[in-house]
C-alpha cells in the first residue's frame, strides 16, 4: 500500500511502558561506515524503518552482502559483508530517496579514493546544501565535483591520494562532520575537524569506526582528530544507540494526552534539552539509568515557554514540530525559534486546521495556547511534521486522518503497535491520495 493514512481517535491518555528503537540517524551513518571495512560486521538494535531498508538496498547495489535477522525480541540485526563491493558508483534512484545516502561519498572515497553519487533526497525543509562536505573533500585532495556545478545531479570525486587535512566548519553540520570522519579514517595522515557537530549519533559513528580499527579522538566535542589507517579489519558486533528523537516524540505524546508513560532503552542525558523544557512547563519527569517517566499533576497548569533549536547539546530541530504541539496545549504565549532550517514550519497550516493558534514571523513561531485540538484530515509534510500531527491527533477531540503516513514510517519503528500498546486508538487506513508525491 503506497498511500495510506493513520486514523487516530484522540482523547485517550497514553499509559504504560515502551521501548525505544535504535537511532535512525546513527544507523544510517554506520551503514555507510560499514561499507569501508575490510572484514565483516554485525549491527544490533537496528530500527526496522523504511529509511534503513532504502540504505540497505543502496549498499547492496554496490556489491555489499547484507543479511537481515529478526531477533526474538522483534528488533533487527544486520550481518554485513562489504568485501564484494565492486564499484564506486551509487547512482541508482534509491540514492535520492534519503538524505543519508550522501555518507557513501565519504565512505567510498575512504575505501577506494573514488565516489560517484546521485544527489541525496530527504525531508524538504529549505535548501540542504552539501558545500561544506565538498569543500572538505577538496581540502583532503579530492578533485571533481564543485558544489557550484554538479553535473546532471551526479557528484563525482576522486583523490589520488586522499590526504588528511585541517578542516574548519564555518557552520556546525552533522552531515559534514560524519562524512569527513568517514573519509579521514582511511586518508593518509591526520585530519582535524574544528567546530564539529556533537550529536549523539556522531559519537556512535565514531565509536563504530574505532571498534573497526579507526583512530578517532574527540567525537562529542567540537574538535575531532582522526589519524588515517590502511585497514579497518572489522569482524565484530556493534549495537546502535537508542533514538533520541523517537524517545522525545513519545515523551511529548505522553504529555499532550495527559498520560503517564515510562520510556525505556534510552540514554536520559540525550533527552536533557527536552526534559528541562518540559519540567519548566510543569510536567514531571522521573529519570532512571535507562528510562524516563513522563506524567503531570492534572490540578497544576502547564505553562508555555520559549524554545530555540540549535546543534547538540541545544534543542534538537528534529523535535521542533512535536514541541510546537506541546506548546499549543500550554497556557499563555510561547515562542519557537527555528534556528537550524529556514523552512521547517510547513506543517503549521495543517496544525492550524486542527485549531492551533500560531503566527509565523520568518523563523519564529508565536504560539498562543489553546484548550484542545479538533480532529481533521491533515497531511504529513515530512517525517517529524508527521510525528507532530500524530501527537496532535492523539490529543484531539474526535477522529483525525494523517495522510502520507509513509513519511512517518521513514523514522518510527512500529509506531502504530507502540502507540496501541499505550492505549491509543490508532489504525492504518487506506486513503485517497489527494496530494501529488513530490518527495523523491
Ligand atoms: C542531519 C539530520 C537531520 C537533522 C539535522 C540537524 C541525518 C540524516 N539528518 O541533517 O535529521 O534535522 O542533522 O540536526 O542525520 N549546511 C550548509 N552546508 C552544508 C551542510 C549543512 O550550509 O554543506 C547547513 C544547513 O543548511 C543547515 C545546517 O547547516 O542550516 C545544519 O545542517 P546539517 O547538520 O548538515 O544537517 P543534515 O546533516 O543534513
Amino acid at each position: 500500500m503506497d498511500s495510506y493514512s493513520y486514523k487516530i481517535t484522540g482523547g485517550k491518555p497514553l499509559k504504560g511502558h515502551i521501548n525505544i528503537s535504535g537511532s535512525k540517524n546513527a544507523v544510517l551513518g554506520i551503514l555507510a561506515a560499514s561499507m569501508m571495512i575490510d572484514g565483516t560486521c554485525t549491527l544490533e538494535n537496528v530500527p526496522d524503518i523504511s529509511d534503513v531498508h532504502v540504505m540497505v538496498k543502496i549498499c547492496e547495489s554496490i556489491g555489499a552482502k547484507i543479511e537481515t535477522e529478526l531477533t526474538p525480541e522483534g528488533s533487527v540485526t544486520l550481518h554485513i559483508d562489504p568485501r564484494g563491493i565492486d564499484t564506486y558508483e551509487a547512482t541508482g534512484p534509491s540514492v535520492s530517496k534519503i538524505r543519508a545516502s550522501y555518507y557513501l561519498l565519504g565512505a567510498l572515497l575512504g575505501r577506494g579514493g573514488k565516489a560517484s553519487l546521485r544527489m541525496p533526497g530527504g525531508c524538504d525543509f529549505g535548501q540542504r546544501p552539501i558545500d561544506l562536505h565538498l569543500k572538505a573533500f577538496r581540502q583532503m585532495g579530492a578533485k571533481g565535483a564543485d558544489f557550484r556545478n554538479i553535473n546532471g545531479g551526479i557528484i563525482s570525486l576522486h583523490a589520488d591520494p586522499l590526504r588528511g587535512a585541517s578542516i574548519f566548519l564555518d557552520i556546525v553540520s552533522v552531515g559534514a562532520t560524519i562524512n569527513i570522519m568517514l573519509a579521514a579514517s582511511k586518508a593518509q595522515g591526520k585530519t582535524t575537524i574544528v567546530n564539529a557537530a556533537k550529536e549523539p549519533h556522531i559519537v556512535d559513528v565514531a565509536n563504530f569506526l574505532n571498534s573497526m580499527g579507526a583512530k578517532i579522538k574527540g567525537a562529542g566535542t567540537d574538535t575531532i582528530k582522526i589519524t588515517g589507517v590502511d585497514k579497518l579489519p572489522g569482524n565484530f558486533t556493534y549495537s546502535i544507540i537508542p533514538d533520541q528523537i523517537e524517545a522525545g516524540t513519545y515523551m511529548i505524546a505522553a504529555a499532550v494526552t495527559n498520560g503517564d508513560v515510562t520510556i525505556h532503552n534510552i540514554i536520559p542525558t540525550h533527552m536533557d534539552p527536552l526534559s528541562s523544557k518540559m519540567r519548566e512547563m510543569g510536567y514531571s519527569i522521573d529519570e532512571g539509568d535507562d528510562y524516563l517517566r513522563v506524567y503531570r499533576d492534572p490540578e497544576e497548569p502547564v505553562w508555555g515557554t520559549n524554545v530555540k533549536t540549535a546543534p547538540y547539546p541545544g534543542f534538537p530541530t528534529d523535535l521542533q514540530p512535536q514541541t510546537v504541539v506541546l506548546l499549543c496545549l500550554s497556557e499563555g504565549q510561547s515562542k519557537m525559534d527555528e534556528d537550524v532550517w529556514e523552512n521547517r514550519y510547513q506543517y503549521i497550516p495543517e496544525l492550524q486546521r486542527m485549531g492551533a493558534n500560531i503566527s509565523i514571523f520568518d523563523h519564529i513561531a508565536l504560539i498562543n495556547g489553546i484548550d484542545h485540538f479538533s480532529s481533521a484530515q491533515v497531511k504529513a509534510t515530512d517525517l517529524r511534521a508527521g510525528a507532530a500531527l500524530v501527537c496532535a491527533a492523539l490529543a484531539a477531540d474526535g477522529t483525525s486522518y494523517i495522510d502520507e503516513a509513509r513519511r512517518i514510517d521513514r523514522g518510527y519503528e512500529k509506531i502504530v503497535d507502540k502507540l496501541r500498546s499505550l492505549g491509543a486508538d490508532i489504525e492504518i487506513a487506506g486513503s485517497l491520495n489527494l496530494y501529488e508525491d513530490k518527495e523523491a
Side-chain angles (χ1 to χ4, degrees):
M1 193 163 34
D2 264 354
S3 174
Y4 55 92
S5 308
Y6 287 151
K7 178 183 174 193
I8 299 174
T9 303
K12 302 191 170 46
L14 299 187
K15 291 208 161 128
H17 298 256
I18 51 157
N19 280 323
I20 293 305
S21 305
S23 158
K24 166 178 107 55
N25 288 343
V27 74
L28 295 175
I30 288 172
L31 269 166
S34 74
M35 296 299 100
M36 296 170 66
I37 62 179
D38 299 290
T40 61
C41 73
T42 296
L43 295 183
E44 293 177 342
N45 199 34
V46 173
D48 192 5
I49 51 177
S50 61
D51 268 22
V52 168
H53 305 162
V54 173
M55 191 68 176
V56 164
K57 206 165 142 188
I58 298 168
C59 292
E60 287 174 337
S61 77
I62 58 173
K65 286 205 173 73
I66 303 183
E67 271 175 40
T68 303
E69 179 194 337
L70 215 57
T71 67
E73 300 78 43
S75 78
V76 167
T77 296
L78 295 178
H79 302 281
I80 301 172
D81 183 352
R83 289 172 298 182
I85 291 179
D86 51 6
T87 175
Y88 56 90
E89 291 183 5
T91 50
S94 297
V95 175
S96 52
K97 284 193 176 153
I98 58 172
R99 191 78 196 152
S101 54
Y102 65 6
Y103 293 139
L104 286 169
L105 275 178
L108 291 173
L109 259 184
R111 185 182 174 91
K114 279 184 184 175
S116 199
L117 198 90
R118 186 181 283 272
M119 275 297 277
C123 292
D124 172 16
F125 28 73
Q127 279 199 15
R128 298 188 74 177
I130 57 165
D131 56 313
L132 296 172
H133 308 231
L134 299 181
K135 274 192 256 182
F137 293 145
R138 255 211 315 272
Q139 272 183 269
M140 297 174 77
K143 297 188 175 60
D146 182 328
F147 61 91
R148 285 171 228 109
N149 177 24
I150 292 168
N151 287 330
I154 304 286
I155 309 158
S156 291
L157 295 166
H158 56 94
D160 187 19
L162 191 68
R163 288 183 302 268
S166 180
I167 294 160
F168 173 75
L169 294 178
D170 52 16
I171 299 173
V172 179
S173 161
V174 173
T177 302
I178 291 181
N179 238 336
I180 298 165
M181 275 194 328
L182 294 174
S185 290
K186 284 193 91 177
Q188 288 182 8
K190 293 188 178 179
T191 297
T192 306
I193 312 173
V194 179
N195 203 25
K198 297 180 273 207
E199 267 65 4
H201 53 287
I202 289 180
V203 179
D204 212 33
V205 175
N207 286 343
F208 170 81
L209 281 164
N210 282 342
S211 56
M212 290 195 284
K215 291 188 176 158
I216 303 174
K217 286 188 177 155
T221 74
D222 49 23
T223 304
I224 303 179
K225 294 188 175 174
I226 306 135
T227 305
V229 295
D230 287 341
K231 279 212 173 293
L232 294 168
N235 303 324
F236 63 91
T237 297
Y238 190 85
S239 185
I240 307 295
I241 54 163
D243 196 302
Q244 177 203 24
I245 307 303
E246 188 198 17
T249 303
Y250 284 105
M251 286 170 71
I252 291 170
V256 293
T257 59
N258 293 323
D260 183 346
V261 176
T262 306
I263 298 160
H264 297 270
N265 184 34
I266 60 169
I267 299 173
T269 50
H270 290 172
M271 307 317 303
D272 283 347
L274 178 63
S275 304
S276 70
K277 279 290 161 196
M278 288 180 71
R279 286 191 179 112
E280 180 190 323
M281 293 175 76
Y283 291 101
S284 298
I285 303 198
D286 297 347
E287 199 170 305
D289 283 349
D290 66 348
Y291 70 85
L292 287 176
R293 177 183 163 209
V294 179
Y295 58 103
R296 67 172 277 223
D297 177 348
E299 304 303 319
E300 295 295 325
V302 169
W303 297 105
T305 185
N306 298 334
V307 180
K308 181 176 183 167
T309 65
Y312 192 83
F315 196 92
T317 170
D318 284 357
L319 284 176
Q320 179 260 101
Q322 304 88 315
T323 303
V324 165
V325 170
L326 184 69
L327 296 172
C328 282
L329 294 178
S330 65
E331 306 223 351
Q333 191 176 66
S334 302
K335 186 168 85 174
M336 174 59 77
D337 184 349
E338 171 54 62
D339 220 29
V340 177
W341 298 110
E342 69 205 28
N343 189 15
R344 206 169 184 174
Y345 287 137
Q346 294 175 50
Y347 66 92
I348 283 189
E350 304 297 304
L351 216 49
Q352 284 165 333
R353 293 172 50 209
M354 299 182 76
N357 180 350
I358 304 174
S359 313
I360 302 172
F361 303 92
D362 194 18
H363 51 92
I364 292 189
L366 287 183
I367 301 139
N368 289 303
I370 54 170
D371 183 53
H372 64 277
F373 284 109
S374 307
S375 57
Q377 180 163 8
V378 288
K379 178 175 88 159
T381 49
D382 64 57
L383 164 60
R384 306 303 173 188
L389 293 171
V390 167
C391 292
L394 289 168
D397 293 344
T399 300
S400 300
Y401 287 84
I402 319 286
D403 294 338
E404 301 293 336
R406 67 189 167 80
R407 291 192 169 129
I408 303 167
D409 291 344
R410 287 187 41 213
Y412 290 89
E413 182 179 85
K414 300 186 182 76
I415 187 169
V416 170
D417 294 347
K418 285 189 184 184
L419 285 171
R420 271 198 195 146
S421 76
L422 297 173
D425 185 345
I426 174 169
E427 60 185 83
I428 296 173
S431 172
L432 190 64
N433 186 4
L434 302 169
Y435 313 99
E436 211 183 314
D437 187 0
K438 294 208 178 80
E439 189 183 47

